[in-house]
Amino acid sequence: MSTKQEYLKRAEECIRLAGACIAESNREILLYAAAWRTMAEDAAEFRASPEKTTQGSDRPYDAKRDAANG
C-alpha cells in the first residue's frame, strides 16, 4: 500500500470513529487525527516533485473541511 493510500485509510477511519463519538473532546481529537488526509496529499505532492524539501503542508489543518469531505 502506498503512503498516500495508508494515510487516506487512516483519515477515513478517524472520521468514521469521530462520527460515533458521544464526547465532544474525543470527536475533536479524532477529527484532528484526520490530518492524515493532508499528509496523504503532501506525500503525493512530494513524490511528484521530490526537489520540494519543505515539511508539512503550507495550508492550515481544517478539521471541519476534512469532516465534510470524509
Side-chain angles (χ1 to χ4, degrees):
M1 184 176 295
S2 75
T3 303
K4 180 178 179 178
Q5 290 172 326
E6 180 64 24
Y7 289 163
L8 289 173
K9 179 181 171 185
R10 290 179 185 198
E12 289 169 11
E13 181 69 5
C14 288
I15 292 168
R16 184 188 69 75
L17 291 170
C21 285
I22 295 171
E24 180 68 26
S25 61
N26 292 343
R27 187 176 313 114
E28 289 175 3
I29 290 167
L30 285 164
L31 289 175
Y32 183 77
W36 286 106
R37 177 176 288 153
T38 301
M39 288 188 275
E41 293 167 358
D42 289 346
E45 185 178 314
F46 181 79
R47 285 187 175 197
S49 60
E51 66 277 355
K52 183 178 178 181
T53 58
T54 59
Q55 293 185 3
S57 175
D58 293 336
R59 60 189 177 281
Y61 174 69
D62 183 348
K64 291 180 182 176
R65 178 193 68 215
D66 275 354
N69 291 329

